Every structure is written in C-alpha cells, then in structure tokens.
Amino acid sequence: MSWFESFILGLVQGLTEFLPISSSAHLRLTAAFAGWHDPGAAFTAITQIGTEAAVLIYFRKDIATIVGAWCRSVVAMVRRDGSMRGDHEAQLGWLVIIGSIPIGVLGVTLKDQIEGPFRDLRLIATTLIAMGLVLGLADRLAARAETGGGRHRANGGKTLRDLGVRDGLIYGCCQALALVPGVSRSGATISGGLLMGYTREAAARYSFLLAVPAVLASGFYELRDAGEGHVAWGQTVFATLVAFVVGYAVIAWFMRFITTRSFMPFVYYRVALGILIFILVAAGVLSPHAGESAA
C-alpha cells in the first residue's frame, strides 16, 4: 500500500464511518474501483480506532459521566448499597456493555467469513440496497410519528431515558449486522432505534456510544496482524490519523444534520450505489472478488 492509497482510504474511512452508508463497504469499493488491493478487514478495523477516537473526544462529557456513574454503581453493588439503583447514567453504562455482547460473540465466531466471503462485492451491493430500504422505512415511520406533516422535530418519541435491557439488546443485535460490509453500523442501529420509536438524535447518540467498546476492541485485536507484518504500520497509522481528523468534522456535522433533516438522501445513495455495483459486475467491468487475493 502506497502513502497516497493510505491517505485516500483514511479519508474515505473518516467520511463514511458515521454516515449510514457503511465505511467498510466504501473502503472495499474504493480499492476495487481504483484497481488497488483490498485493504482487508484488519486495516478497516484498525483505522476505525481513529474515528472512534473522534467519538471519544466529541462525546467526552457524556462518556466521562457514564463511566463515572457506572464505576460508582459497581462499587455500590459490591457494598450492597442500593443508592445507585435507578441512576440513568449508570444504567446507560450497563446497557452499552449488554448491547456490545452480540457483536463480540458474532465477531469472533464469524471472523473467517468477515475476512473472506462477506467481502464479495455482490453481497455488499445486496446489503447496501436492503439496508437502505430499511433505513428509508424507518425514516418515513419516524417522520410520521413525530409530526404527521413531514417536518422533523427533535422532541418527539423516546429518549435515552426510556432505554431498557430489551431495547439495549435489540440495538446490540442491529449493530452486529454491521459485521457484513455494506450494512453500516450507524445505519443498522439508527434504523433499529427509529423503528423502536426513539428520536433521531437519541438513536444516533446511542449508536455512537454503543460503537465505542466494539470498535476499539476490534481495532486493538487486529493490531496483532500489524505486528506480524500483515498490515503496513506506517501507512495504517497515517490512514488512522486522517480518519480521526476527518471523522471528527463529520460527526459534528451529522449530529446537527439529523435534528432537522431526513435520512432519505443516504437511502437514495445506498440504493443507487448497490445497483451500480450489480451492473458493473454483471457487465464484467468489475470482478466481485477484485483485489481479494492480496487482502
């Protein structure tokens, strides 16, 4: 991988990680369209550390409050003290842990598939279209529930204070779908949240918080491949830094965007891109396994 490739791939990672269009699919597609080698699942997981660092900084106050409350709740449990029972921030901490279980279990179980068959461009095209339609349905239902007139409000629907174990596990299962490139972590969890009746802001905020332990664990786990020479250290670190800078700007924009706008532009984009991939593969212009031999 050249330095130019690492810059472009880091840029793509930062631009697409927080948008409901799948960063892993775009990294795979960028390499395929450019005629580069597939950067691979390990490269994707490591560069996501950069974008998750952006989440840690952007939501630093929320995360610090949640972690602090969760730690106090653990101490209270050891002391058999019920003073933290019912504390919202502590509950969020426990729900993030519970919601991270599905992707952790499936990530280890399906590791070989994630690094191999799941990166087939035909599967990516299918998931882009299918998840796009689900996001579109969730967006329309959310708009109807909020106003009934098409204008979006931030104060309608359930908030994170309504989040319980059941909804936390559903969020976690939605996040686990993102193990397949093309699904999109934010797209799946936000869609799940909207379908459960949460506001756009609440669905997006919890989506980003829920991703932190899963993405960081995956990224640091894949660092061992870099140490074994499977990933170029310099280019990967450079791409991760680029992803961090770009990702921070994108998340700040996206959190403002969702309070007043529909997700439909992302839906149209996903469906159009999926159809384009199918056309190019069917025409023989693009191989469904382009670049995989070097991944």
Side-chain angles (χ1 to χ4, degrees):
M1 178 185 295
S2 69
W3 290 100
F4 176 73
E5 288 178 40
S6 67
F7 172 76
I8 296 298
L9 293 174
L11 182 64
V12 170
Q13 168 65 27
L15 286 172
T16 59
E17 172 66 17
F18 303 119
L19 305 182
I21 56 177
S22 179
S23 61
S24 58
H26 279 75
L27 287 174
R28 175 79 177 89
L29 291 170
T30 299
F33 284 135
W36 302 337
H37 296 319
D38 179 0
F43 177 88
T44 301
I46 294 171
T47 54
Q48 284 178 338
I49 294 177
T51 45
E52 286 312 303
V55 172
L56 291 175
I57 294 176
Y58 187 86
F59 291 109
R60 58 190 179 279
K61 293 182 179 178
D62 295 34
I63 293 173
T65 301
I66 292 171
V67 171
W70 179 81
C71 290
R72 290 194 297 274
S73 74
V74 172
V75 173
M77 288 175 59
V78 172
R79 295 177 176 177
R80 297 183 180 182
D81 178 0
S83 61
M84 292 296 295
R85 188 173 300 168
D87 184 271
H88 170 64
E89 305 300 341
Q91 288 178 346
L92 267 182
W94 286 109
L95 289 173
V96 167
I97 294 173
I98 292 172
S100 299
I101 294 174
I103 197 170
V105 173
L106 292 177
V108 173
T109 305
L110 302 176
K111 187 177 187 299
D112 291 339
Q113 287 74 22
I114 294 169
E115 295 178 346
F118 285 1
R119 301 182 73 77
D120 188 302
L121 294 183
R122 292 165 297 190
L123 177 59
I124 290 176
T126 301
T127 54
L128 280 170
I129 295 172
M131 197 62 224
L133 296 177
V134 172
L135 179 62
L137 173 63
D139 184 76
R140 291 296 174 87
L141 292 177
R144 186 179 303 171
E146 287 170 359
T147 67
R151 295 183 63 188
H152 304 293
R153 293 197 315 243
N155 59 351
K158 295 158 68 175
T159 68
L160 291 186
R161 290 193 172 274
D162 300 305
L163 189 65
V165 174
R166 170 185 166 275
D167 287 359
L169 280 174
I170 293 175
Y171 263 114
C173 291
C174 290
Q175 178 177 240
L177 295 175
L179 291 170
V180 181
V183 170
S184 169
R185 187 188 313 276
S186 63
T189 50
I190 290 173
S191 294
L194 294 179
L195 290 173
M196 287 188 289
Y198 287 87
T199 66
R200 300 171 191 278
E201 194 274 340
R205 185 172 291 268
Y206 187 66
S207 171
F208 294 150
L209 293 175
L210 182 62
V212 171
V215 172
L216 290 181
S218 174
F220 286 116
Y221 177 79
E222 293 292 356
L223 279 175
R224 66 176 187 172
D225 282 346
E228 294 172 0
H230 298 163
V231 178
W233 266 108
Q235 289 89 332
T236 301
V237 171
F238 178 57
T240 302
L241 291 174
V242 172
F244 164 72
V245 174
V246 177
Y248 187 87
V250 171
I251 193 174
W253 170 83
F254 187 62
M255 291 305 295
R256 292 194 300 270
F257 176 89
I258 61 173
T259 59
T260 57
R261 302 291 295 277
S262 166
F263 288 114
M264 291 310 295
F266 302 114
V267 174
Y268 298 141
Y269 172 78
R270 291 179 63 104
V271 174
L273 180 59
I275 292 174
L276 176 62
I277 295 170
F278 273 128
I279 292 174
L280 293 177
V281 170
V285 176
L286 197 62
S287 167
H289 307 289
E292 280 189 357
S293 60

